[in-house]
Amino acid sequence: MMLSKSILFTLALVSNVPGSLAHWTYSRLVVNDEVVGEPWQYIRHHNNSNAPLTDVNSTDFRCNFNAQTAETYTVRAGDKIGFGIDEHFGHPGIQQVYLSRVPESSTAANYDGSGGWARVYSLTTAPANSTNSSSTTGNEGDDEVVTWATHNIQSFQLPLPATTPPGEYLLRAEGLALHAAHKWACAQFYVSCAQIKVVASSNIGGKGESAEFGPLVKIPGVYKGDEPGVLIPVFWSSLTNYTTPGPALWPEGTQEQHVVEQL
Ligand SMILES: *[C@@H]1O[C@H](CO)[C@@H](O)[C@H](O)[C@H]1NC(C)=O
Ligand SMILES: *[C@@H]1O[C@H](CO)[C@@H](O)[C@H](O)[C@H]1NC(C)=O
Ligand SMILES: *[C@@H]1O[C@H](CO)[C@@H](O)[C@H](O)[C@H]1NC(C)=O
Ligand SMILES: *[C@@H]1O[C@H](CO)[C@@H](O)[C@H](O)[C@H]1NC(C)=O
C-alpha cells in the first residue's frame, strides 16, 4: 500500500501530464525577492488543495474554500510583493492580483473580504514574437496565436504601488487557466489571499497620495462568466488576441505586464 502510493506520488511529480496534475496553488508570500515565512504563514490556508474554482458567483471565489486566518506581514508601500506557486503555473492563462483594504474597525485577520477590491496586477500574453520566420511584416503577424507570460512560472512579483494608503489589506492572487474556457463556466481560477499591513513608503514626498483607491469591485461579482477573457471565443491554442477581464488597473495608468518578475 505505502509503496504503490509513494510510486504514484513520484510519478505525479515527474510527469508532465496535462489535466489535474497541472494544477497549482499559492502558499508562500514573496517580498523584495525573498520568500517570507513558512507556507501558509501569511496566506490563508484553504482546503481546496491545488484544485481550481469555476463558480465566479460563490463567496469561496474570494479566498478559496474554508480559508483559515493567517498571520499578517508588514510591508512598505513601494516594496516588491508576490507569491510562490506550488508546483508551477501549469495551464495557458493569466495571473492577476486584487487588493482589498480592511475597514478601520477590523484587522486583516478578521476581515472577510466583503469590501471593495482593486485590480493591481495583470500578467497576460507574452511579447509578440517578432523573430518568427514564418511571418512577414503586416497582417500575417496579426494571426499568430498568443503565448503566455505565465508559462510554467513558479513565482511572480509586482511593485506594491507607492501610493497604497497605509493600512491592513487582503492581497488576492488569481490565476486564470484558459484551456477549457471556450466552454461556459469552465475557465479555472486558482485563488489564495495573503494578509498584509502596509506602512508608508520610506520614500517621502507624498505625491499622488490623493489618487483614489479604485475602481473597486466586489468579489464575487467581479466576473459574470461570459465576459471576454473568461469565456473565450475559440479553443485556446487558436487564440490570436486576448482581452483581460477585470476593472481598470489601479493606480490609474498601470499597464498589463507581458514579462514576469520571478524569484
Ligand atoms: C472544506 O471545508 C468545507 C467547510 O468546512 C467543507 O464543506 C468541505 O467539504 C471541505 N473540503 C475538503 C476538500 O475537505
Ligand atoms: C518564436 O518563433 C520561433 C521560430 O518560429 C519559435 O521557435 C518560438 O517558439 C517562438 N516563441 C514564441 C514565444 O512564440
Ligand atoms: C453569476 O451571476 C450572474 C448574476 O446573477 C449571472 O448573470 C451569471 O450567469 C452567473 N454566472 C455563473 C457562471 O453562474
Ligand atoms: C480576436 O480573435 C477572435 C477569435 O480568434 C477573432 O474572431 C477576432 O477577429 C480577433 N480580433 C482582432 C481584433 O484581431
Side-chain angles (χ1 to χ4, degrees), residues 93-96 121-125 149-150 153 156 257-260:
I94 65 166
Q95 177 67 56
Q96 304 211 84
Y121 178 71
S122 184
L123 175 68
T124 64
T125 53
T150 52
I153 60 172
F156 68 90
Q257 299 299 303
H258 302 285
V259 176
V260 67

Side-chain angles (χ1 to χ4, degrees), residues 126-127 129 131-134 144-145 147:
N129 191 345
T131 61
N132 189 337
S133 56
S134 70
E144 271 185 58
V145 296
T147 58

Side-chain angles (χ1 to χ4, degrees), residues 73 82 86-87 89 105 146 169 174-175 203 223-224 245:
Y73 191 82
D86 312 319
E87 301 286 335
F89 200 112
S105 58
V146 298
Y169 292 84
E174 178 192 276
N203 206 350
Y223 310 131
K224 293 207 310 285

Side-chain angles (χ1 to χ4, degrees), residues 111-128:
Y111 176 50
D112 65 1
S114 57
W117 295 78
R119 189 169 65 115
V120 295
Y121 178 71
S122 184
L123 175 68
T124 64
T125 53

Side-chain angles (χ1 to χ4, degrees), residues 7-150:
I7 286 171
L8 278 175
F9 185 62
T10 307
L11 284 173
L13 286 179
V14 299
S15 61
N16 187 22
V17 182
S20 64
L21 298 181
H23 292 178
W24 65 94
T25 193
Y26 308 86
S27 65
R28 288 163 297 150
L29 183 65
V30 173
V31 176
N32 294 330
D33 302 316
E34 286 181 10
V35 171
V36 294
E38 299 298 313
W40 308 115
Q41 185 171 351
Y42 302 111
I43 296 183
R44 291 186 175 183
H45 199 169
H46 57 76
N47 72 350
N48 199 25
S49 183
N50 61 355
L53 303 171
T54 52
D55 183 359
V56 296
N57 287 333
S58 165
T59 50
D60 298 315
F61 191 59
R62 219 176 266 158
C63 292
N64 220 324
F65 291 111
N66 204 23
Q68 302 294 308
T69 285
E71 292 174 44
T72 300
Y73 191 82
T74 299
V75 296
R76 285 187 181 282
D79 278 352
K80 281 195 282 184
I81 194 161
F83 292 81
I85 304 175
D86 312 319
E87 301 286 335
H88 60 260
F89 200 112
H91 285 301
I94 65 166
Q95 177 67 56
Q96 304 211 84
V97 175
Y98 287 82
L99 185 64
S100 184
R101 193 172 185 185
V102 178
E104 295 288 349
S105 58
S106 190
T107 61
N110 292 319
Y111 176 50
D112 65 1
S114 57
W117 295 78
R119 189 169 65 115
V120 295
Y121 178 71
S122 184
L123 175 68
T124 64
T125 53
N129 191 345
S130 56
T131 61
N132 189 337
S133 56
S134 70
S135 89
T136 55
T137 54
N139 294 335
E140 240 176 39
D142 296 341
D143 295 324
E144 271 185 58
V145 296
V146 298
T147 58
W148 305 99
T150 52

